[in-house]
């Protein structure tokens, strides 16, 4: 039981940055914008988050710095793709490369520095409960925030008028424009929101996961977040399942090795990705034709003035 | 816009390609141009960092007689060949490629540029204009094995492997051979993360090992994440490549650190003098290419044992791979080097010694 508890705790920690970044990107893509720069925004969020926490000693301020950095970088993306109508794929990739460079620059002075890990929730009586205590009531704030975020996004998309408008823009920006909705303005807010989520996800790594900063520490998690959005077929509920499934497979393969399960570790390392591919195939088979992708995803919109 | 193709591309990027950030250098005549290719970021505080320290030593030593350039975050495979080629075309006359996986790409580029001198770290292939150099890291690992067996209360060691290549496997074997001298029943749990650098994954692997009962963590990956996890959990650990004491002041026992500077200085000097030729260098504690970080967080008798062992290895009276060595099948391994395994057997090691209850992945 103790081992199971430890595994679940590790899975939650490994899944949280993916869930944070992916839920932001989900909203962005629902608005019809494809921002491939998640990795770049994450790594800048990691560098700035660490810098903030290091300077002030506060995890909360570190997280704010991470969010702010992610938003700042996403504004570059918004300016290019929404303002100047540049190709979104190219801009997103450029944003990642830019982010990796900028984060290295910002973080250079912080390599080798240490901070204390994000505090964990402690409720007397509840956190000490056997097995479920630590899992339900002993996490750091990021874990709870990530779940609250997904619920909020679900509520926004399906239960509010603004969410309906956002989805309409993602599916047909010409019609939405004709109805008088400010397509570019709403998309800009969506992109900023996605940037903030990616920045927070990045900040999670040095603030709660491994409390130090090294360049390149996101190690491809931004790309996985992007894949998760497709995996979830743009539905918030499936995103949670996808993120935790991915986290679970990546932690369990490590444990399986420790137990001496006779499967080559190279194959096990590939399992999380393999699982993603398989689920993608299954989803596309069960759906009769057509994809649930926002119809206007990745297309440039230039309003006729 | 085909969204699925994009997702596939994203996955591909996530798993395969790294991003190289090049540092351009202006061309200047009659200076020796020296190029470096790094697998990780210079700030990884591990493997790449130590090579960078070596490069900085060159700059200090030779000043404006040389001009150095480095490419960092260059992933192994086709990407690296392009990067090495780029350095050669940019007029670098001496190029250090500092990861095992750069071996074949370096050889290919070396054949295309016969006038450029190449130096490849930790491999075994050479050519007229391509040297190889490596550290006898297993010497340090042997000392770590002794310390680990002494310090482990549960008799279970946790080992984080990067890739199952000979360099890593010989480290695991040296550790176990030493540990068995102290505790014949010692157990080792090995987790391969299949990456040199992913702090999150390294931390997860360390957590998994601790959760499964290991109480001393050793790693052959490049970031201080495992050290930091061990320190959080109150376990003990060994640093890797660099002295990681900062990340575990009460955790680090010692670290096998790599000291490339003196070798780089020697080779650049040879290149400047025109005496450079293809060689195979394999240096250890004796030549100070491998240096042990201070022995900390252990009782005095363990410390003394570690120091005595280090002295014996330097003096040549103790050989970590002294015969007879039993393989996992219980049969004795052929001893090609007289009283110990010969360098070829160590540099190409692809078996576990007796007592390791695991299989080399993919074998």
């Amino acid at each position: 039981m103790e081992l199971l508890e430890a595994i679940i705790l590790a899975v939650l920690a490994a899944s949280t940055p993916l869930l944070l970044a992916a839920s932001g990107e989900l909203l962005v893509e629902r608005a019809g914008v494809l921002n491939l720069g998640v990795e770049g925004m994450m790594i800048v969020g990691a560098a700035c988050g660490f810098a903030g926490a290091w300077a002030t000693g506060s995890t909360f301020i570190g997280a704010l710095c991470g969010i702010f950095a992610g938003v700042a970088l996403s504004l570059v993306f918004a300016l290019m793709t929404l303002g100047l109508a540049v190709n979104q794929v190219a801009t997103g990739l450029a944003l990642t490369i830019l982010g990796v460079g900028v984060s290295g620059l910002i973080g250079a002075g912080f390599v080798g520095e240490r901070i204390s890990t994000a505090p964990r929730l402690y409720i007397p009586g509840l956190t000490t409960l056997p097995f479920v205590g630590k899992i339900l009531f002993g996490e750091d704030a990021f874990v709870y925030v990530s779940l609250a975020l997904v619920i909020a996004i679900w509520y926004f998309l399906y239960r509010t008028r603004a969410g309906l408008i956002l989805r309409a823009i993602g599916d047909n920006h010409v019609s939405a424009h004709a109805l008088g909705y400010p397509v570019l303005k709403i998309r800009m807010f969506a992109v900023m929101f996605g940037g903030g989520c990616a920045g927070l996800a990045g900040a999670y790594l040095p603030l709660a996961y491994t409390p130090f900063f090294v360049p390149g520490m996101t190690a491809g998690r931004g790309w996985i977040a992007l894949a998760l959005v497709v995996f979830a077929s743009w539905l918030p509920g499936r995103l949670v399942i996808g993120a935790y499934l991915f986290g679970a497979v990546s932690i369990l393969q490590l444990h399986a090795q420790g137990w001496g399960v006779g499967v080559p570790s190279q194959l096990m390392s590939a399992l999380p990705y393999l699982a993603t591919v398989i689920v993608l195939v299954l989803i596309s088979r069960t759906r009769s034709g057509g994809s649930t992708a926002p119809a206007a995803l990745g297309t440039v919109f230039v309003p006729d003035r | 816009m085909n969204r699925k193709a994009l997702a596939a591309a994203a996955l591909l990027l996530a798993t395969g390609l790294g991003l190289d950030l090049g540092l351009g250098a202006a061309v200047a005549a009659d200076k020796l141009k020296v190029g470096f290719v790094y697998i990780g970021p210079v700030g990884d505080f591990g493997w790449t960092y130590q090579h960078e320290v070596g490069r900085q030593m060159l700059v200090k030593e030779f000043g404006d007689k040389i001009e150095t350039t480095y490419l960092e975050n260059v992933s192994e495979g086709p990407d690296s060949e392009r990067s090495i080629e780029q350095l050669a075309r940019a007029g670098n006359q001496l190029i250090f490629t500092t990861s095992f996986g750069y071996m074949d790409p370096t050889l290919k580029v070396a054949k295309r540029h016969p006038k450029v001198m190449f130096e490849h770290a930790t491999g075994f292939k050479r050519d007229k204009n391509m040297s190889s150099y490596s550290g006898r890291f297993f010497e340090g690992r042997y000392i770590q094995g002794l310390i680990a067996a002494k310090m482990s209360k549960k008799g279970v060691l946790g080992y984080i492997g990067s890739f199952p290549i000979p360099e890593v496997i010989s480290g695991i074997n040296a550790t176990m051979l030493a540990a068995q001298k102290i505790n014949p029943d010692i157990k080792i749990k090995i987790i391969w993360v299949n990456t040199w650098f992913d702090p999150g994954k390294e931390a997860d692997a360390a957590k998994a090992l601790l959760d499964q009962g290991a109480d001393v963590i050793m790693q052959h990956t490049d970031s201080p994440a495992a050290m930091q996890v061990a320190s959080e959990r109150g376990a003990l650990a060994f640093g890797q490549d660099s002295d990681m004491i900062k990340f575990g002041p009460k955790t680090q026992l010692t670290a096998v650190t790599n000291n490339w500077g003196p070798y780089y200085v020697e080779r650049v000097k040879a290149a400047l003098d025109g005496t450079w030729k293809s060689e195979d260098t394999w240096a250890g504690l004796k030549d100070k290419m491998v240096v042990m970080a201070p022995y900390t967080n252990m009782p005095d008798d363990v410390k003394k044992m570690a120091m005595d062992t280090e002295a014996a290895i330097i003096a040549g009276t103790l050989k970590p791979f002294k015969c007879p060595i039993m393989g996992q099948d219980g049969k004795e391994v052929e001893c090609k080097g007289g009283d110990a395994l010969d360098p070829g057997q160590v540099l190409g090691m692809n078996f576990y010694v007796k007592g390791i209850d695991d299989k080399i992945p993919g074998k």
Side-chain angles (χ1 to χ4, degrees):
Chain A
M1 275 313 245
E2 249 177 48
L3 184 61
L4 186 63
E5 184 187 4
I7 291 175
I8 293 174
L9 286 172
V11 169
L12 287 174
S15 311
T16 297
L18 302 176
L19 189 57
L20 282 170
S23 49
E25 178 68 12
L26 185 136
L27 192 91
V28 176
E29 294 193 12
R30 275 294 184 146
V33 181
L34 178 64
N35 185 353
L36 293 180
V38 179
E39 177 83 2
M41 298 186 293
M42 270 182 83
I43 188 71
V44 171
C48 293
F50 185 89
W54 182 83
T56 61
S58 154
T59 304
F60 180 69
I61 294 182
L64 283 184
C65 290
I67 294 173
F68 182 75
V71 172
L73 204 59
S74 75
L75 278 173
V76 176
F77 179 86
L79 175 74
M80 299 289 286
T81 59
L82 304 177
L84 304 172
V86 180
N87 180 300
Q88 292 177 4
V89 173
T91 312
L93 291 172
L95 197 69
T96 290
I97 300 170
L98 173 72
V100 172
V102 168
S103 74
L105 190 69
I106 297 169
F110 297 102
V111 172
E113 296 293 343
R114 280 196 69 166
I115 51 170
S116 51
T117 327
R120 286 168 178 279
L121 184 69
Y122 184 81
I123 306 172
L126 286 178
T127 307
T128 45
L129 282 176
F131 193 64
V132 292
K134 263 190 171 167
I135 294 170
L136 294 179
F137 306 107
E139 301 292 342
D140 51 58
F142 292 91
V143 177
Y144 302 113
V145 167
S146 68
L147 286 169
L149 194 67
V150 184
I151 295 168
I153 288 173
W154 172 83
Y155 185 83
F156 171 77
L157 284 176
Y158 296 103
R159 292 289 181 273
T160 68
R161 189 179 156 76
L164 185 66
I165 295 169
L166 183 127
R167 282 190 288 143
I169 288 171
D171 276 329
N172 192 331
H173 46 219
V174 179
S175 300
H177 178 65
L179 287 170
Y181 295 121
V183 173
L184 293 181
K185 197 170 147 193
I186 290 174
R187 281 190 170 168
M188 188 184 80
F189 284 130
V191 167
M192 284 168 68
F193 178 80
C197 290
L200 182 65
Y204 176 76
L205 296 170
L207 295 182
Y209 210 46
T210 52
F212 55 82
F213 177 78
V214 273
M217 71 184 300
T218 47
R221 284 179 180 76
W223 298 109
I224 295 166
L226 276 168
L228 277 175
V229 177
V230 188
F231 174 99
S233 45
W234 293 270
L235 300 171
R238 284 196 194 159
L239 194 67
V240 180
I241 298 171
Y244 285 135
L245 185 73
F246 196 92
V249 177
S250 49
I251 296 294
L252 280 176
Q253 65 98 357
L254 296 174
H255 276 277
Q257 289 191 47
W259 293 321
V261 176
V263 180
S265 72
Q266 294 92 336
L267 179 66
M268 295 218 233
S269 285
L271 270 185
Y273 307 94
L274 217 56
T276 311
V277 173
I278 291 168
V279 173
L280 278 179
V281 171
L282 290 180
I283 288 174
S284 69
R285 274 182 65 88
T286 49
R287 237 182 0 240
S288 44
S291 141
T292 52
L297 183 62
T299 49
V300 164
F301 176 67
V302 184
D304 45 345
R305 278 177 259 259
Chain B
M1 177 66 54
N2 187 338
R3 191 61 184 82
K4 276 181 193 147
L6 273 173
L11 265 176
L12 202 77
L13 278 161
T15 51
L17 301 176
L19 294 157
D20 15 322
L21 296 165
L23 265 191
V27 185
D30 65 12
K31 273 184 186 175
L32 179 75
K33 291 187 71 182
V34 186
F36 287 82
V37 185
Y38 297 148
I39 181 84
V42 291
D44 68 354
F45 232 79
W47 177 259
T48 296
Y49 174 76
Q50 293 301 117
H51 286 285
E52 174 62 10
V53 169
R55 185 190 68 85
Q56 286 167 2
M57 197 163 164
L58 284 181
V59 174
K60 222 184 234 167
E61 181 81 20
F62 296 102
D64 49 6
K65 272 193 258 171
I66 60 166
E67 186 180 305
T68 61
T69 309
Y70 65 83
L71 300 173
E72 59 180 336
N73 280 323
V74 177
S75 41
E76 297 178 339
D79 214 27
S80 64
E81 187 180 330
R82 190 175 51 73
S83 304
I84 300 164
E85 176 77 32
Q86 189 189 328
L87 280 180
R89 287 202 189 163
N92 288 284
Q93 292 127 291
L94 179 60
I95 297 173
F96 293 91
T97 57
T98 62
S99 187
F100 179 78
Y102 297 156
M103 181 165 63
D104 289 326
T106 307
L107 192 63
K108 274 191 206 161
V109 180
K111 285 198 194 303
R112 282 200 292 267
H113 298 270
K115 287 195 179 144
V116 178
M117 297 164 275
F118 292 87
E119 297 259 355
H120 174 247
T122 69
F124 51 84
K125 292 188 182 168
R126 281 168 292 281
D127 206 341
K128 284 192 289 284
N129 59 332
M130 175 177 164
S131 288
S132 66
Y133 63 101
S134 186
R136 299 162 70 96
F137 308 115
F138 64 89
E139 295 180 349
R141 299 261 166 199
Y142 187 87
I143 301 173
Q144 290 190 348
L146 291 176
I147 299 170
K150 279 268 188 201
M151 299 302 292
S152 172
K153 289 192 181 79
K154 298 182 187 165
V156 184
L157 313 180
Y159 208 109
I160 304 169
S162 46
F163 295 96
I165 56 169
E167 181 199 329
V168 180
I169 290 170
S170 65
I172 296 174
N173 282 339
T175 304
M176 264 317 252
L177 287 172
Q180 286 165 347
K181 294 235 153 59
I182 306 290
N183 173 2
D185 297 323
I186 194 112
K187 294 262 180 305
I188 190 165
K189 280 185 182 288
I190 304 162
I191 291 185
W192 301 95
V193 288
N194 288 299
T195 176
W196 285 111
F197 182 79
D198 179 343
K201 211 168 174 188
E202 293 167 50
D204 288 340
K207 281 182 203 161
L209 287 167
L210 292 168
D211 290 338
Q212 290 194 16
D215 58 357
V216 179
I217 298 293
M218 332 175 98
Q219 60 165 5
H220 208 135
T221 46
D222 296 349
S223 92
M227 172 68 65
Q228 181 275 318
V229 168
S231 135
E232 206 169 80
R233 300 276 193 101
L236 295 167
F238 293 97
Q240 156 77 1
D241 301 325
S242 308
D243 189 344
M244 294 176 174
I245 190 86
K246 260 193 198 172
F247 297 91
K250 294 206 165 76
T251 308
Q252 178 173 288
L253 294 162
T254 180
V256 181
T257 70
N258 315 333
N259 179 26
W260 306 106
Y263 176 76
Y264 288 166
V265 168
E266 185 194 314
R267 299 304 280 172
V268 167
K269 201 160 185 297
L272 285 169
D273 299 346
T275 56
W276 189 96
K277 54 180 198 300
S278 173
E279 273 170 27
D280 176 21
T281 304
W282 197 35
L285 289 168
K286 192 176 152 212
D287 302 295
K288 296 201 161 48
M289 190 180 265
V290 177
V291 177
M292 300 305 285
Y295 298 108
T296 44
N297 296 311
M298 62 183 86
D300 286 343
D301 61 319
V302 181
K303 196 171 178 174
K304 183 171 183 303
M305 177 196 68
M307 291 168 105
D308 290 348
T309 310
E310 188 179 338
I313 292 175
I314 290 172
T317 52
L318 191 157
K319 290 177 180 167
F321 289 115
K322 188 175 183 300
C323 295
I325 288 170
M326 299 292 175
Q328 266 182 315
D329 51 5
K331 286 189 200 130
E332 194 179 329
V333 179
E334 190 194 353
C335 199
K336 292 182 183 163
D339 61 338
L341 298 188
D342 85 340
Q345 280 180 297
V346 177
L347 287 169
M349 195 169 275
N350 66 347
F351 65 90
Y352 279 151
V353 295
K354 198 178 162 193
I356 298 180
D357 186 21
D358 204 341
K359 261 170 49 183
I360 296 177
K363 241 200 106 191

